Amino acid sequence: MAHLDRVFHSLSDGTRRAVIAQLANGPASIGDLARRHHMALPSFMKHMRVLEESKMVASRKVGRVRMCQLRPKALTAAQTWLARERRVWEARLNQLDSFVEALAAEEHSNGRK
Amino acid sequence: MAHLDRVFHSLSDGTRRAVIAQLANGPASIGDLARRHHMALPSFMKHMRVLEESKMVASRKVGRVRMCQLRPKALTAAQTWLARERRVWEARLNQLDSFVEALAAEEHSNGRK
DNA sequence: ATCAAGGTGAGCCATATGGCTAAGTAATTG
DNA sequence: CAATTACTTAGCCATATGGCTCACCTTGAT
């Protein structure tokens, strides 16, 4: 799914993760954010575009300043996917466990014969 | 952190996510996996290299076949980061809530004066 | 009306990504 | 030993990424 691609791609860059971490503490302007990351504005805007296209950040212009904020469900797509895969994975491990237990049990009873 | 970069980058590609999803159901050989994804072996190996460099998948060679499996803590780095950011985010929302409630309460008492 | 500040758009550059084919190498099979 | 199978390596190609500067446009302050 293209949306998940974008979400994880957004998260794959340290600068963007830092932006998300910072926006979690409240909105900020593009200029503010760029300054904190020692980066030229146009470079930084590319990151913001990536974050907006992945629907993790929203922005609107107030006067000549653009304010950015984290969107409410910014992280849920990623978390949902991870949680689901992890459930599958753990379910299988449990199966393996019981398989091994079953084997062990059988071994035991065989040994006792 | 470079490791998180790699983890999220791994997850940013649909093919790689599919591989993870499939490996959650048990180990498989490179050839098997490549066939399922209608992809030439060398192209596919690049994906596997990405997954191995992010420590999400391990592989070893058995005869001429390379078997791959999900590593136990494949998803925890990603999940941990997401969970932490989300906690910060929700903590702030709660602060906002109580701030708004406090405001509302004050308004009330002012109105009653 | 002018000038400064904040953002935007265009475009350059080096490197990375994601696909391929072609030509190996090593292990099985006949 | 010969042929096949399963990877592996090298390298091509188009496109994407992540940084930059320079020029421009709005908006705000004098």
Side-chain angles (χ1 to χ4, degrees):
Chain A
M1 194 190 289
H3 176 240
L4 262 187
D5 285 16
R6 291 196 196 101
V7 167
F8 283 122
H9 174 65
S10 287
L11 295 171
S12 74
D13 179 282
T15 299
R16 288 191 292 261
R17 285 197 307 277
V19 168
I20 289 178
Q22 206 209 313
L23 288 183
N25 294 312
S29 77
I30 295 235
D32 264 1
L33 293 168
R35 247 167 270 125
R36 280 178 216 273
H37 292 281
H38 321 286
M39 201 177 288
L41 257 187
S43 318
F44 195 77
M45 300 234 354
K46 290 196 187 176
H47 288 298
M48 295 314 288
R49 173 168 292 271
V50 169
L51 285 168
E52 294 204 29
E53 283 176 351
S54 69
K55 310 283 188 202
M56 307 186 77
V57 166
S59 75
R60 71 208 151 97
K61 222 161 166 177
V62 182
R64 64 185 164 181
V65 135
R66 178 172 294 277
M67 293 300 289
C68 307
Q69 57 182 333
L70 217 51
R71 289 174 66 130
K73 294 180 291 185
L75 309 175
T76 58
Q79 283 195 306
T80 302
W81 191 88
L82 287 168
R84 208 166 75 78
E85 289 314 316
R86 187 178 177 141
R87 275 209 314 279
V88 174
W89 165 250
E90 284 174 352
R92 175 173 166 266
L93 287 192
N94 287 339
Q95 283 181 1
L96 276 193
D97 279 356
S98 27
F99 177 66
V100 171
E101 278 164 26
L103 264 190
E106 204 167 330
E107 288 280 314
H108 252 253
S109 61
N110 283 350
R112 274 178 194 155
K113 264 197 223 159
Chain B
M1 192 188 290
H3 176 239
L4 262 187
D5 283 18
R6 290 196 196 99
V7 167
F8 282 122
H9 174 65
S10 286
L11 295 171
S12 74
D13 180 282
T15 298
R16 288 190 293 260
R17 284 197 306 278
V19 168
I20 289 178
Q22 207 210 311
L23 288 183
N25 294 312
S29 78
I30 295 235
D32 264 1
L33 292 167
R35 249 167 267 124
R36 281 177 217 274
H37 292 281
H38 321 286
M39 201 177 290
L41 255 188
S43 318
F44 196 76
M45 300 234 354
K46 291 196 185 175
H47 288 297
M48 295 315 287
R49 172 169 293 271
V50 169
L51 285 168
E52 294 204 29
E53 283 176 352
S54 68
K55 313 280 187 201
M56 305 185 77
V57 165
S59 76
R60 71 208 151 98
K61 220 158 169 178
V62 181
R64 64 187 165 180
V65 132
R66 179 174 292 278
M67 292 301 288
C68 308
Q69 58 183 333
L70 217 50
R71 288 174 67 130
K73 294 181 291 184
L75 308 175
T76 58
Q79 282 194 306
T80 302
W81 190 89
L82 286 168
R84 207 167 75 78
E85 290 313 317
R86 188 180 176 137
R87 275 210 313 280
V88 175
W89 165 250
E90 283 175 352
R92 175 175 166 265
L93 287 192
N94 287 339
Q95 282 180 2
L96 277 193
D97 279 357
S98 27
F99 177 66
V100 169
E101 278 164 25
L103 265 190
E106 203 168 329
E107 287 280 313
H108 252 253
S109 60
N110 283 349
R112 273 181 195 154
K113 265 199 222 161

